[in-house]
Amino acid sequence: MTAPQPHTASLPCGKVFYTKSGSGPDMILLHGWGCDNTTLESVRRTAALTHTVYNLDFPGFGSSPEPEGIWSVFDYADMLGQFIAATGIKRPVLLGHSFGGRVSIIYASAHHDVDKVVLVDSAGVRNPLPLRKRLKVAAFKAAKKIAPVILGKTKGAEFIDRWRGSAGSADYRVASPKMRAIMSKVIAQDLRHLMPEIKAPTLLIWGEHDDATPLADAHKMEALIPGSGLVVLPGDHYSFLRSPAQFAAVLSSFLAS
């Protein structure tokens, strides 16, 4: 197996770092939020046995610079299209983990030259917030309006930013201001309406104890994506790390089918 070789693609939307390894049909790995290409290294090793694997750092992660603006997940999907065009990739297999699954869903729903799709503990289903969370969101929205009036524009903005940082997830707290704004934008986007448009054979691989994108989300995706199949593995949101041997066997079988 060839070692992964580092590359940088200069795209209209900016520069994107990636590694390339293996040989055979093209396959693109798309990591989750707060991660980079190294998170999917074990997946890359398995895929590179049969495929030419492109393992990306999304803009704003790893070695890829942040986007110029406040991107939506659709902008990330447009970036993927630019990357495929720039590198000459043909009929790729798309494997997306978590946030990378969102990008895969959008791209595969609009481009029917995708060979296969693998969604791993994927995001894309927006569920109603519990009451406690809804109350917190309402309080935060009220504070955003009141704080600048009471504290002034500058101090009010600082207060709101501190609130966001203390109340947000670990990914949110460590992100830059721009990536925080992007994160807030992408997690609000429900993609269920696009799932029936995916024509490529689709495999869902899920950790049975995933509490970030619950197994119930996988069942919703399986019902919406025509002809898709679901495999549930022991583990959490990182099923490929918790059950590596089982994951590799399932993925290899699907790629060979």
Side-chain angles (χ1 to χ4, degrees):
M1 184 195 306
T2 59
Q5 299 299 311
H7 299 272
T8 300
S10 296
L11 309 178
C13 65
K15 292 185 177 180
V16 172
F17 175 85
Y18 67 101
T19 67
K20 183 178 179 181
S21 59
S23 62
D26 294 328
M27 182 170 180
I28 304 173
L29 306 186
L30 303 167
H31 63 78
W33 192 272
C35 302
D36 60 23
N37 76 87
T38 63
T39 309
L40 293 173
E41 174 57 21
S42 62
V43 179
R44 182 203 66 79
R45 290 196 299 268
T46 298
L49 295 173
T50 56
H51 285 67
T52 300
V53 181
Y54 299 79
N55 194 2
L56 275 64
D57 280 349
F58 278 124
F61 301 94
S63 297
S64 294
E66 291 184 355
E68 287 295 322
I70 307 301
W71 279 15
S72 71
V73 67
F74 292 90
D75 293 312
Y76 278 97
D78 287 343
M79 177 280 301
L80 177 58
Q82 293 178 19
F83 178 80
I84 289 172
T87 51
I89 291 173
K90 304 295 184 185
R91 290 193 59 80
V93 176
L94 299 181
L95 183 147
H97 170 240
S98 194
F99 172 72
R102 286 183 182 272
V103 178
S104 300
I105 289 167
I106 293 173
Y107 188 87
S109 70
H111 299 83
H112 297 159
D113 57 350
V114 173
D115 185 40
K116 293 183 176 75
V117 178
V118 184
L119 300 177
V120 183
D121 300 294
S122 176
V125 174
R126 188 183 184 193
N127 295 300
L129 294 175
L131 177 61
R132 186 175 179 182
K133 183 69 173 179
R134 292 202 303 271
L135 292 174
K136 284 185 176 181
V137 171
F140 178 76
K141 288 182 176 179
K144 279 183 69 175
K145 294 180 179 180
I146 296 171
V149 177
I150 298 175
L151 302 175
K153 187 175 182 180
T154 301
K155 289 187 177 180
E158 292 172 353
F159 172 78
I160 292 300
D161 193 55
R162 287 196 301 271
W163 187 341
R164 278 199 184 105
S166 63
S169 66
D171 285 339
Y172 187 88
R173 289 194 294 271
V174 300
S176 70
K178 178 181 287 186
M179 297 310 294
R180 285 182 177 185
I182 292 174
M183 183 179 182
S184 297
K185 191 171 186 177
V186 301
I187 63 174
Q189 293 172 314
D190 192 307
L191 304 179
R192 279 178 287 185
H193 64 290
L194 298 178
M195 294 176 190
E197 301 304 316
I198 297 175
K199 307 303 180 187
T202 301
L203 173 65
L204 310 170
I205 308 179
W206 234 265
E208 62 179 332
H209 300 300
D210 189 337
D211 58 1
T213 53
L215 185 57
D217 290 0
H219 290 297
K220 292 173 184 177
M221 291 186 185
E222 185 183 21
L224 288 168
I225 300 173
S228 60
L230 170 63
V231 175
V232 181
L233 300 179
D236 54 19
H237 190 55
Y238 293 85
S239 58
F240 57 96
L241 296 178
R242 310 307 179 220
S243 302
Q246 292 159 286
F247 186 95
V250 169
L251 177 62
S252 296
S253 176
F254 181 64
L255 293 178
S257 65

